[in-house]
Amino acid sequence: MLKIFNSLKREKQIFEPIEANKVRMYVCGMTVYDYCHLGHARVMVVFDMVYRWLKASGYDVTYVRNITDIDDKIIKRALENGETIQQLTDRFIAYMHEDADALGVLRPDHEPRATEFVPQMQEIIRALESKGLAYQAADGDVNYAVRKFPGYGKLSGKSLDDLRAGERVEVDNAKQDPLDFVLWKHAKPGEPAWESPWGDGRPGWHIECSAMSSSLLGKHFDIHGGGQDLQFPHHENEIAQSEGANCCSYVNYWMHNGFVRVDNEKMSKSLGNFFTIRTVLENYDAEVVRFFILRAHYRSPLNYSDAHLDDAKRSLDSLYFTLRDVPPKLVEIDWAQAHAARFAAALNEDFDSHGAIAVLFELAAEANRQKSGELSGLLKALGGVIGLLEREPLLYLRAGPAAGGLDEAAIEALIVQRAEAKKARDFATADRVRDELKAAGIVLDDSPQGTTWRRA
């Protein structure tokens, strides 16, 4: 029985889909004007794990993760680069896909771009205007009248009277209330614009997700996810827009993953302490990064450091050592088996990937003790449920950045040289070769079957 911590209710609740055996899930995706960073990686990997587990649990899942391809930052960056907005966004969408693919993130069922849903956004704005929840200000913008929506604040727990202009709230003299937010921005010279009943302009950020989610999943759907930073004001505003326009409940379960932190500070571009996925992958295998993310519960803070990634690598290596030393047999998961049942119980407890990974280590220890191919096969199968342990062990152990400029051919040649030196009892040369490989980050494992190598 799956339980989800519902941010709306501030408690774990038993998951009951709107339609039996079907799940409709929407996750806020990236604004594509720069490379994805580790915060984006966490959102992608966490909800990929959620998507995989829902499917493994027998649900027919429709997963939507949007792309914001029109935004102030996008317009500014395209202008700085001397390129069109589409050239900029197409390029960074391709980079995003490269990063997601490397991290083992499955493509969502739908990946809508905001610019493809402008008519639907206008339709919602018209509905809000007809209900007295939206108005056109003197400057031409169309704003949402926050105080006219009785439920505002129910997701974030914020009271309207406690909210002050200036903190996460844009001060604008054209607004009827400083808490009001923009639905439609009037056109400025040189900016992209669409025709509308309120004059040429472009959508505000918040309205995009209301339009894309309701168009692809319906006005009322099961799960909405995203980073904790989006809970207020973005998701709060989505609720106000969607429920205000459609006069029905918007989402049943809200999920928010925790922040990525660096030295106990939230990772952010403004602090200059953010790391792109590409930068991290220059030094760490992508599966190590995925493992690092999943080893923490999705709602907890994730503390980034090289030391934590090094520790994640050692831990993941140990699971692959089991698969290398106890060759796995191909097995179908028997969910009644003790380890499989504990693995499922962990993920059914609010997608506790930390607890599920702990079961993988228990299983690896038992597989090593019994030298059981069935148990190592189950280890591989359970890992695959959350996108881990899917490679051949030696391919994983030899993957990663090539240290010391040595490619595989050079490493194999040095191993042959060492073997010949040992055969000739030239142990000084054999030791020198081993030290040379060690300095290049290559570890040799000698066994009666021969010598294998891996990257440290």
Side-chain angles (χ1 to χ4, degrees):
M1 185 177 291
L2 175 62
K3 295 179 183 176
I4 298 177
F5 184 89
N6 187 354
S7 301
L8 184 65
K9 302 296 183 180
R10 296 166 185 78
E11 65 180 8
K12 286 184 190 176
Q13 296 182 316
I14 294 171
F15 177 65
E16 296 179 356
I18 296 168
E19 189 176 351
N21 299 318
K22 292 184 183 293
V23 178
R24 288 170 288 157
M25 179 171 75
Y26 183 91
V27 173
C28 287
M30 271 51 77
T31 301
V32 284
Y33 70 100
D34 207 342
Y35 294 110
C36 294
H37 54 64
L38 272 182
H40 299 136
R42 190 175 200 191
V43 172
M44 290 192 286
V45 169
V46 160
F47 287 100
D48 178 70
M49 177 268 294
V50 170
Y51 181 41
R52 287 170 181 261
W53 181 240
L54 289 170
K55 293 203 297 182
S57 301
Y59 290 107
D60 177 10
V61 187
T62 303
Y63 176 23
V64 179
R65 189 185 69 221
N66 78 292
I67 294 171
T68 295
D69 62 346
I70 184 67
D71 171 88
D72 290 342
K73 296 186 183 78
I74 291 172
I75 295 169
K76 182 174 182 289
R77 183 64 56 86
L79 187 63
E80 290 170 351
N81 292 353
E83 61 184 329
T84 67
I85 286 172
Q86 185 165 352
Q87 287 171 333
L88 176 75
T89 56
D90 283 352
R91 187 169 74 257
F92 281 105
I93 288 169
Y95 293 150
M96 178 191 71
H97 285 152
E98 289 174 5
D99 292 341
D101 292 347
L103 292 169
V105 173
L106 302 175
R107 297 288 174 93
D109 298 293
H110 301 280
E111 200 172 46
R113 300 187 186 195
T115 53
E116 299 169 345
F117 287 80
V118 173
Q120 292 89 334
M121 297 175 203
Q122 292 183 0
E123 185 178 338
I124 294 174
I125 297 169
R126 282 196 294 268
L128 292 170
E129 196 174 41
S130 70
K131 293 175 172 63
L133 292 170
Y135 62 91
Q136 187 165 21
D139 62 1
D141 288 354
V142 180
N143 298 318
Y144 189 99
V146 165
R147 292 187 184 274
K148 293 185 179 180
F149 180 69
Y152 197 85
K154 63 182 176 180
L155 178 65
S156 61
K158 293 180 182 291
S159 162
L160 285 174
D161 293 330
D162 293 337
L163 289 168
R164 291 184 174 88
E167 182 181 329
R168 305 293 306 264
V169 177
E170 195 176 312
V171 177
D172 187 337
N173 293 331
K175 293 178 179 178
Q176 293 176 359
D177 188 289
L179 299 178
D180 294 348
F181 59 89
V182 67
L183 299 167
W184 186 259
K185 296 185 176 186
H186 69 280
K188 295 178 182 177
E191 289 188 350
W194 286 261
E195 293 181 357
S196 84
W198 314 281
D200 290 354
R202 59 186 173 88
W205 177 42
H206 307 298
I207 196 66
E208 296 176 0
C209 287
S210 287
M212 288 183 278
S213 62
S214 61
S215 297
L216 293 168
L217 297 175
K219 295 175 182 178
H220 180 207
F221 57 93
D222 299 289
I223 298 173
H224 193 314
Q228 185 180 334
D229 57 321
L230 298 181
Q231 188 167 345
F232 182 84
H234 183 54
H235 290 162
E236 193 75 71
N237 291 351
E238 274 192 65
I239 291 174
Q241 293 164 162
S242 301
E243 295 189 355
N246 299 321
C247 299
C248 68
S249 180
Y250 178 40
V251 172
N252 283 2
Y253 301 86
W254 285 88
M255 295 178 63
H256 294 95
N257 64 268
F259 292 121
V260 176
R261 295 186 173 275
V262 180
D263 295 330
N264 292 317
E265 284 189 308
K266 178 191 167 188
M267 190 183 74
S268 71
K269 290 186 177 181
S270 61
L271 292 174
N273 65 347
F274 76 102
F275 298 86
T276 68
I277 296 171
R278 289 172 175 245
T279 300
V280 176
L281 296 187
E282 288 175 3
N283 297 302
Y284 294 94
D285 181 80
E287 190 174 353
V288 171
V289 178
R290 183 183 180 92
F291 179 85
F292 164 69
I293 292 169
L294 292 179
R295 193 170 60 167
H297 190 280
Y298 78 89
R299 286 192 289 114
S300 66
L302 182 66
N303 292 309
Y304 170 83
S305 71
D306 286 352
H308 288 140
L309 277 169
D310 289 339
D311 182 66
K313 181 183 185 306
R314 286 190 293 270
S315 295
L316 184 58
D317 284 357
S318 71
L319 294 177
Y320 269 109
F321 290 153
T322 298
L323 298 180
R324 180 195 65 185
D325 299 338
V326 185
K329 293 184 178 179
L330 184 63
V331 300
E332 286 192 19
I333 299 172
D334 174 8
W335 292 106
Q337 194 271 355
H339 293 95
R342 289 201 297 276
F343 182 89
L347 290 174
N348 279 331
E349 193 65 30
D350 192 30
F351 304 100
D352 181 10
S353 56
H354 173 79
I357 287 173
V359 174
L360 296 184
F361 282 99
E362 294 172 11
L363 186 53
E366 194 64 22
N368 282 320
R369 190 180 70 80
Q370 296 187 31
K371 301 299 179 189
S372 168
E374 284 81 7
L375 290 179
S376 64
L378 181 59
L379 169 65
K380 183 176 179 65
L382 290 176
V385 169
I386 56 174
L388 298 172
L389 306 178
E390 296 183 296
R391 286 185 280 178
E392 288 300 315
L394 281 181
L395 289 179
Y396 162 77
L397 293 167
R398 293 176 178 180
L406 295 178
D407 59 19
E408 292 197 14
I411 294 167
E412 295 287 358
L414 285 168
I415 290 173
V416 169
Q417 182 183 342
R418 176 174 175 264
E420 290 173 348
K422 288 175 70 175
K423 187 177 180 180
R425 304 187 66 79
D426 182 359
F427 298 116
T429 297
D431 290 345
R432 178 183 56 77
V433 171
R434 175 184 278 276
D435 291 344
E436 182 181 342
L437 287 166
K438 183 179 180 181
I442 305 300
V443 177
L444 301 183
D445 295 311
D446 294 320
S447 72
Q449 290 75 38
T451 299
T452 59
W453 65 271
R454 57 186 169 87
R455 298 194 189 278

